[in-house]
Amino acid sequence: MSNYIIDHLKQLEAEAIYVLRETAAQFENPALLFSGGKDSIVMAHLAYKAFHPAKLPFPLVHVDTGHNFPETIEYRDRFVEKLGARLVVGSVQKSIDEGKVKEETGPDASRNALQTVTLLDTIEENAYDACLGGGRRDEEKARAKERFFSHRDDFGQWDPKNQRPELWNLFNGRKLQGEHFRVFPLSNWTEMDIWQYIKEEDIELPCLYFAAERECLVRNNTILAISEFVQPREGEVVEKKSIRFRTMGDATITGAVESTATDYDAIIEEVAAARQTERGNRADDKRSETSMEDRKKEGYF
């Protein structure tokens, strides 16, 4: 009798599918948070595999800051249509117009932190009791503290010291009225795992993940692509470089890396040699040592 051996990617896939199915089983009205980035794309792909041939038992929820890369929005709409999923969009601009949040001003203003209010409003309006997120523990030290099932109180806040044990992968989704959970099926994945899985499954991604000649500038030691939202200031030089993005966020805060990687194999080689986390070029994470944890405690993704 031959030995039954599966590789680490199949083990991670099985674990994520188990978490996705457990979420659908334990909660009445879950949703999948979708940014158009590689992690949320992989998570949606896994959800498709978990429930096929049935349709996804939850909608895809995108919090639109209004400062997204156009390529991301174009990909999002195409991907949702291909998946046959329902898309729910929460608008940061609407939150600003309604006076719920105040837009930052100044040279390095960002809408990133404003997403929290829009997200919590979207969760409350649609009565979601669990939101699936693509966060991974290797990304950032605050995310390393997360459980698979991460409890949020009735204000949407995260208390890292008040989380449930998950011995033997037994998940406790019990909650009080008004509380909800964030669920992270990709917790044990790494950036390398994500890219190897994308290659193995031949998953289409936004073109921004692949190197191309793009106009850009360097601001605060971060390479930013020229766009509607990023224009040169006095003294800044616009150059054309071969760059790509390791992570996807607002055009105003998402830094690029110089690269010639135009296919999956080249990107995997590049990731293997990298000595900086993929979020190392995110301006929102550089505001303080605890910026991610502070935002998560307020209800961020």
Side-chain angles (χ1 to χ4, degrees):
M1 181 177 177
S2 60
N3 291 329
Y4 179 66
I5 300 173
I6 60 174
D7 63 25
H8 76 288
L9 289 180
K10 290 300 181 186
Q11 290 177 334
L12 289 169
E13 179 189 65
E15 178 183 65
I17 286 175
Y18 169 67
V19 174
L20 285 159
R21 288 173 175 166
E22 194 70 13
T23 303
Q26 288 201 35
F27 298 99
E28 295 181 4
N29 189 26
L32 189 152
L33 302 177
F34 186 80
S35 67
K38 64 185 184 304
D39 297 322
S40 63
I41 292 168
V42 166
M43 184 169 58
H45 176 81
L46 287 163
Y48 175 81
K49 294 185 76 170
F51 300 104
H52 183 76
K55 287 193 173 184
L56 294 187
F58 35 69
L60 271 56
V61 175
H62 179 221
V63 176
D64 184 1
T65 64
H67 289 174
N68 295 285
F69 290 101
E71 295 91 338
T72 303
I73 300 300
E74 179 188 340
Y75 175 89
R76 178 201 70 185
D77 294 341
R78 194 169 69 248
F79 181 81
V80 169
E81 183 178 357
K82 179 182 176 182
L83 211 60
R86 183 164 64 91
L87 177 66
V88 175
V89 179
S91 169
V92 171
Q93 185 60 56
K94 181 183 176 185
S95 298
I96 294 170
D97 295 341
E98 292 176 350
K100 294 181 178 178
V101 292
K102 184 177 180 181
E103 186 154 23
E104 291 183 8
T105 57
D108 296 315
S110 166
R111 288 188 172 184
N112 187 265
L114 309 187
Q115 294 179 91
T116 300
V117 172
T118 307
L119 172 62
L120 294 177
D121 281 349
T122 304
I123 291 172
E124 186 175 358
E125 287 167 11
N126 294 278
Y128 297 133
D129 55 357
C131 290
L132 292 150
R136 308 189 324 268
R137 289 174 181 149
D138 78 316
E139 280 184 285
E140 204 272 342
K141 54 184 178 289
R143 286 183 167 167
K145 300 177 182 179
E146 289 280 19
R147 301 281 198 264
F148 280 100
F149 275 35
S150 181
H151 175 262
R152 298 295 194 269
D153 65 18
D154 52 354
F155 292 103
Q157 297 171 321
W158 174 62
D159 180 359
K161 296 180 180 179
N162 187 28
Q163 300 297 319
R164 285 89 184 271
E166 295 179 342
L167 304 175
W168 308 292
N169 275 359
L170 297 175
F171 304 123
N172 180 359
R174 294 181 181 178
K175 56 183 176 51
L176 299 175
Q177 182 69 29
E179 298 177 344
H180 72 278
F181 277 79
R182 307 287 170 84
V183 182
F184 302 101
L186 307 181
S187 289
N188 289 332
W189 296 55
T190 65
E191 183 184 11
M192 177 63 80
D193 295 330
I194 292 290
W195 279 109
Q196 289 176 335
Y197 187 76
I198 287 169
K199 179 190 174 185
E200 186 173 289
E201 296 286 305
D202 194 24
I203 301 171
E204 182 189 357
L205 294 179
C207 62
L208 295 169
Y209 280 111
F210 302 95
E213 291 285 327
R214 296 181 173 99
E215 287 191 333
C216 59
L217 53 81
V218 178
R219 179 177 297 164
N220 299 327
N221 297 317
T222 300
I223 301 173
L224 297 175
I226 296 297
S227 68
E228 174 189 351
F229 313 107
V230 177
Q231 292 296 316
R233 301 170 187 164
E234 187 176 349
E236 292 181 334
V237 178
V238 176
E239 301 177 273
K240 204 161 191 179
K241 294 182 178 181
S242 178
I243 59 172
R244 74 176 193 88
F245 296 87
R246 291 176 67 189
T247 180
M248 206 60 60
D250 281 3
T252 55
I253 58 171
T254 305
V257 293
E258 292 191 58
S259 171
T260 57
T262 57
D263 57 38
Y264 295 144
D265 289 322
I267 290 174
I268 289 170
E269 285 184 24
E270 198 175 83
V271 171
R275 291 296 174 265
Q276 184 183 44
T277 174
E278 64 209 274
R279 293 190 69 93
N281 281 328
R282 289 285 290 265
D284 50 324
D285 289 349
K286 294 181 179 180
R287 292 192 169 189
S288 77
E289 279 293 314
T290 60
S291 57
M292 172 64 82
E293 182 157 337
D294 293 340
R295 281 177 288 157
K296 285 177 73 64
K297 287 179 178 178
E298 294 172 357
Y300 187 73
F301 297 98

